């Protein structure tokens, strides 16, 4: 069922053994970040501390976010991303919106996938179970076997002595979609527009649907709507949101979703 609440879906995942009884590492992306640390070492020959990698989990997302993604022909997936750039490497764990025909969009349940993208080759995707008693036990036995056979070299030797720096998240460009939940009143869009203008951010699209317009018991009207921005740097969006979230009509902090550009 696609309309399960976050709490119900998490409870079912725990019952099936796909999420830990303490699900913090799963839903906050901490486990994915540990995996990314290992993959980054295997690809770049450099160890980075987990705290160096920008992290955002899925625990703040709500049904409205997934409904919006569905309308846009997208899926939301928690993605651990590593990309070589002229400035060093881009490395982060974030919930991202990806096109529904993308291989990663079709990954469900306890299945994990790793996609390798080369400069000249087509993408290569490796798919397998990422949770459960037997897949976990198999991975542990495989690691112990490698350590037994190569006790002095448990890890592969460095491929290069070149030191790479992690590029600041502020400088990475995304297409951002923002979900707002506000007390309905005149002038809200004008206020947003003036803030975005100061940071040279262009609004690409606006969606406000009747089913997200509610009237409370005391007659207070609340609205949920989304703004999609033209491609821009992450740091500029955070500066704008810092001002927007302070507005008295905001009921919750803005929820931010991204697409890789």
């Amino acid at each position: 069922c696609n309309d399960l609440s976050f709490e119900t879906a998490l409870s079912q995942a725990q019952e099936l053994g796909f999420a830990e009884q303490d699900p913090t590492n799963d839903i906050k992306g901490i486990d994915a970040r540990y995996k990314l640390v290992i993959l980054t070492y295997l690809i770049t020959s450099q160890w980075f501390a987990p705290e160096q990698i920008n992290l955002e989990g899925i625990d703040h997302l709500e049904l409205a976010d997934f409904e919006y993604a569905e309308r846009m022909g997208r899926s939301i997936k928690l993605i651990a991303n590593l990309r070589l750039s002229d400035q060093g490497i881009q490395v982060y764990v974030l919930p991202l919106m990806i096109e529904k025909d993308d291989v990663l969009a079709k990954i469900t349940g306890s299945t994990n996938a790793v996609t390798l993208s080369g400069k000249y080759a087509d993408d290569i995707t490796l798919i397998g179970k990422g949770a459960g008693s037997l897949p976990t036990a198999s991975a542990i036995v495989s690691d112990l076997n490698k350590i037994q056979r190569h006790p002095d070299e448990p890890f592969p030797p460095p491929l290069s002595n070149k030191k790479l720096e992690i590029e600041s998240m502020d400088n990475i460009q995304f297409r951002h979609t923002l979900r707002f939940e506000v007390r309905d009143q005149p002038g809200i869009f004008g206020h947003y527009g003036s803030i975005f203008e100061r940071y040279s951010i262009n609004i690409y699209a606006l969606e406000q649907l009747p089913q997200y317009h509610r009237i409370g018991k005391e007659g207070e009207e609340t609205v949920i709507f989304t703004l999609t921005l033209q491609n821009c740097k992450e740091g500029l969006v955070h500066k704008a949101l810092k001002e927007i979230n302070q507005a008295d009509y905001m009921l919750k902090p803005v929820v931010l979703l991204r697409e890789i550009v």
Side-chain angles (χ1 to χ4, degrees), residues 241-259:
L241 293 185
K242 185 176 181 180
E243 294 187 38
I244 289 172
N245 284 328
Q246 294 175 351
D248 58 5
Y249 54 75
M250 294 293 298
L251 295 175
K252 297 180 180 179
V254 175
V255 172
L256 179 60
L257 285 171
R258 306 160 182 87
E259 290 184 66

Side-chain angles (χ1 to χ4, degrees), residues 129-144:
K129 290 294 184 181
S133 58
L134 294 180
T136 301
S138 175
I140 293 173
V141 170
S142 175
D143 288 343
L144 292 174

Side-chain angles (χ1 to χ4, degrees), residues 181-207:
E181 187 167 346
V182 303
R183 297 182 185 88
D184 197 16
Q185 65 183 52
I188 290 178
F189 292 129
H191 183 217
Y192 293 157
S194 64
I195 294 175
F196 288 135
E197 182 181 11
R198 284 205 305 277
Y199 293 104
S200 300
I201 298 174
N202 292 328
I203 295 175
Y204 177 77
L206 163 67
E207 183 193 72

Side-chain angles (χ1 to χ4, degrees), residues 72-249:
M72 296 298 106
R74 303 289 192 269
S75 292
I76 299 174
K77 296 292 182 179
L78 184 65
I79 302 292
N81 189 68
L82 166 65
R83 183 177 183 180
L84 297 178
S85 70
D86 294 336
Q87 290 72 38
I89 59 171
Q90 297 177 3
V91 56
Y92 51 79
V93 177
L94 299 171
L96 296 174
M97 289 205 299
I98 57 179
E99 294 185 4
K100 295 195 76 172
D101 60 358
D102 190 292
V103 173
L104 296 182
K106 298 178 173 64
I107 302 302
T108 60
S110 64
T111 304
N112 284 179
V114 176
T115 294
L116 309 173
S117 300
K119 185 175 182 179
Y120 302 108
D122 290 336
D123 289 354
I124 300 172
T125 301
L126 309 174
I127 300 173
K129 290 294 184 181
S133 58
L134 294 180
T136 301
S138 175
I140 293 173
V141 170
S142 175
D143 288 343
L144 292 174
N145 183 47
K146 289 179 181 178
I147 293 172
Q148 182 186 36
R149 288 188 290 115
H150 304 284
D152 298 326
E153 291 187 20
F155 301 108
L159 300 175
S160 170
N161 292 324
K162 182 181 178 181
K163 293 296 182 182
L164 297 172
E165 298 293 333
I166 296 178
E167 185 177 350
S168 170
M169 280 293 295
D170 287 346
N171 296 328
I172 300 178
Q173 289 209 8
F174 296 96
R175 169 170 285 183
H176 301 82
T177 293
L178 316 176
R179 173 171 59 81
F180 300 82
E181 187 167 346
V182 303
R183 297 182 185 88
D184 197 16
Q185 65 183 52
I188 290 178
F189 292 129
H191 183 217
Y192 293 157
S194 64
I195 294 175
F196 288 135
E197 182 181 11
R198 284 205 305 277
Y199 293 104
S200 300
I201 298 174
N202 292 328
I203 295 175
Y204 177 77
L206 163 67
E207 183 193 72
Q208 182 176 343
L209 300 179
Q211 60 261 42
Y212 299 119
H213 191 156
R214 301 185 178 94
I215 300 178
K217 294 180 179 180
E218 298 180 1
E220 181 182 71
E221 297 185 39
T222 63
V223 177
I224 296 175
F225 61 89
T226 59
L227 285 177
T228 299
L229 309 177
Q230 288 188 354
N231 304 347
C232 62
K233 291 183 177 180
E234 177 85 358
L236 293 177
V237 175
H238 280 285
K239 288 179 180 178
L241 293 185
K242 185 176 181 180
E243 294 187 38
I244 289 172
N245 284 328
Q246 294 175 351
D248 58 5
Y249 54 75

